[in-house]
């Protein structure tokens, strides 16, 4: 299903701009979304209400013709780049090729995203084009509302995510606590690295990958983005946060569970119960028309009523609930909307995480995260994985 870009058409018309230009490889979510093309090297995508064009290397030309969404596919050779290099050198030749490509698109002025190569922008300006930054980031807003096909891609990624989480939990369940308090598996110390390997191998078999994952126990779990390393210990909370990407579609999933092998202490057990309540409260606040701030507030209130600090009440706190409640997920693992004090109105079709947590190096960390789709009257939970704290 082609994306609905009518809002981009309106945005360009409202600002009197001819087109929208991206210069990036396909790891850039806006590039992948707009062009529909997966390429490892940067290429130009120019969108106008009249059509979509890409300028790719000769190496990628054939694939771009068959795989991209572009109505028009061009390559530097179409603009006699070799002759331009001999006359002007490689840098100016590239600028002239880019300018000729825009001329073919009927474009004098372009909006570009805020992360755009300065050399490309300056080169186009030297060739007489107007290049302006789209400070409204309209394409990110468009991307935030997913088509049914995109939701299916994320749903599939979440199923793979759950298989990887089950593999990790099985390792923990098979572990024992040795005389020193460390976890042991088949006679060897059970480490964060061993659990991560099991997660990554499971995902790879299913066609998914990830740059990193979080398996952090004890004091390490008190830092929300600590990846975790070394031996895992009994009686401590272990946060496992997995956020894979489908190698074919590019879409992500995201889920966190917190486990304990052995007997958790009273405080960390209370924290787990509070976090589960905060998750349920936040989920209950989700629906189209509610704001990300509303959802965040629902989670914060559970913690604040229990006397624990949050960023909402104390922006300088280093313990308690020290992050936002969630974020959008799609071609990027973190995208719009935000569930935070500044979070705006939610729309049906947005895919978001809901992930409250508590952190203190003296206690450890707890986080529970589901991934959901916002609907008109609530949400659809894409997560089908139990919340089990004590593993046995």
């Amino acid at each position: 299903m082609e994306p609905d870009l009518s809002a981009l058409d309106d945005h360009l018309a409202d600002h009197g701009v001819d087109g929208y230009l991206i210069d990036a490889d396909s790891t850039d979510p806006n590039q992948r979304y707009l062009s529909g093309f997966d390429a490892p090297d940067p290429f130009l995508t120019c969108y106008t209400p009249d059509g979509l064009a890409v300028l790719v290397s000769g190496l990628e030309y054939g694939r771009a013709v068959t795989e991209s969404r572009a109505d028009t596919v061009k390559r530097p050779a179409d603009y006699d780049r070799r002759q331009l290099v001999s006359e002007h050198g490689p840098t100016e030749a590239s600028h002239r090729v880019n300018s000729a490509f825009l001329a073919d698109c009927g474009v004098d002025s372009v909006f570009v995203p805020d992360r755009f190569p300065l050399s490309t922008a300056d080169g186009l300006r030297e060739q007489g084009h107007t290049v302006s930054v789209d400070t409204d980031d309209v394409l990110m807003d468009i991307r935030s509302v997913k088509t049914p096909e995109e939701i299916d891609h994320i749903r599939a990624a979440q199923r793979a995510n759950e298989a990887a989480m089950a593999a990790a939990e099985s390792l923990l369940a098979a572990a024992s606590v040795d005389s020193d308090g460390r976890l042991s598996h088949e006679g060897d110390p059970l480490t964060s690295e061993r659990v991560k390997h099991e997660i990554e191998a499971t995902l790879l078999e299913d066609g998914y990958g990830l740059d990193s994952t979080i398996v952090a126990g004890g004091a390490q779990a008190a830092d929300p983005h600590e990846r975790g390393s070394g031996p895992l210990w009994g009686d401590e909370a272990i946060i496992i946060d997995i956020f894979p990407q489908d190698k074919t579609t590019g879409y992500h999933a995201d889920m966190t569970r917190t486990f304990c092998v052995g007997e958790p202490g009273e405080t960390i057990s209370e924290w787990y119960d509070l976090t589960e309540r905060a998750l349920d409260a936040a989920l209950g606040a989700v629906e189209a028309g509610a704001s990300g701030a509303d959802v965040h507030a629902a989670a914060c209130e559970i913690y604040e009523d229990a006397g624990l600090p949050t960023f909402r009440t104390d922006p300088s706190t280093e313990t308690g609930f020290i992050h936002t409640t969630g974020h959008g997920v799609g071609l990027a693992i973190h995208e719009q909307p935000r569930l935070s004090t500044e979070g705006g109105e939610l729309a049906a079709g947005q895919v978001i995480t809901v992930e409250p947590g508590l952190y203190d190096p003296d206690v450890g960390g707890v986080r529970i995260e589901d991934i959901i789709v916002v609907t008109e009257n609530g949400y659809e939970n894409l997560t089908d994985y139990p919340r089990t704290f004590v593993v046995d």
Side-chain angles (χ1 to χ4, degrees), residues 149-323:
E149 182 181 18
E150 289 180 290
I151 293 171
D152 284 344
H153 291 329
I154 297 169
R155 183 180 286 109
Q158 180 56 21
R159 297 290 80 80
N161 197 358
E162 290 164 5
M165 186 69 79
E169 185 178 358
S170 293
L171 267 183
L172 295 178
S176 58
V177 183
D178 66 20
S179 58
D180 293 326
R182 291 179 298 187
L183 297 187
S184 176
H185 182 265
E186 297 181 347
D188 295 320
L190 185 60
T191 63
S192 293
E193 290 81 2
R194 173 69 182 87
V195 178
K196 291 177 192 177
H197 175 81
E198 191 72 16
I199 290 168
E200 292 169 6
T202 303
L203 287 168
L204 188 60
E205 287 180 359
D206 287 338
Y208 292 80
L210 73 173
D211 292 332
S212 62
T213 192
I214 294 173
V215 180
Q220 290 183 356
D223 182 339
H225 278 172
E226 167 63 50
R227 296 319 196 220
S229 62
L232 297 169
W233 297 77
D235 306 335
E236 291 186 339
I238 301 167
I239 291 178
I240 300 182
D241 187 348
I242 312 175
F243 31 97
Q245 183 180 33
D246 188 317
K247 289 179 174 291
T248 300
T249 69
Y251 284 85
H252 292 79
D254 200 358
M255 177 175 65
T256 304
R257 291 295 185 262
T258 302
F259 302 108
C260 178
V261 179
E263 298 293 333
E266 181 179 353
T267 300
I268 201 73
S269 295
E270 291 175 353
W271 279 18
Y272 189 90
D273 291 342
L274 279 171
T275 297
E276 196 165 23
R277 287 174 53 201
L279 173 58
D280 288 336
L283 289 172
V286 172
E287 64 178 346
S291 71
D294 294 334
V295 180
H296 183 55
C300 288
E301 285 168 6
I302 298 296
Y303 293 137
E304 291 161 6
D305 288 347
L308 293 166
T310 70
F311 269 165
R312 191 174 74 151
T313 56
D314 182 3
S316 65
T317 184
E318 297 180 7
T319 61
F321 185 25
I322 54 175
H323 55 72

Side-chain angles (χ1 to χ4, degrees), residues 343-376:
E345 184 173 312
L346 300 177
Q350 291 177 328
V351 177
I352 58 176
T353 67
V354 183
E355 49 180 309
L358 289 171
Y359 310 89
D360 186 332
D362 292 335
V363 179
V366 173
R367 184 166 66 255
I368 311 172
E369 175 186 26
D370 284 358
I371 185 169
I372 67 173
V373 184
V374 180
T375 65
E376 290 294 345

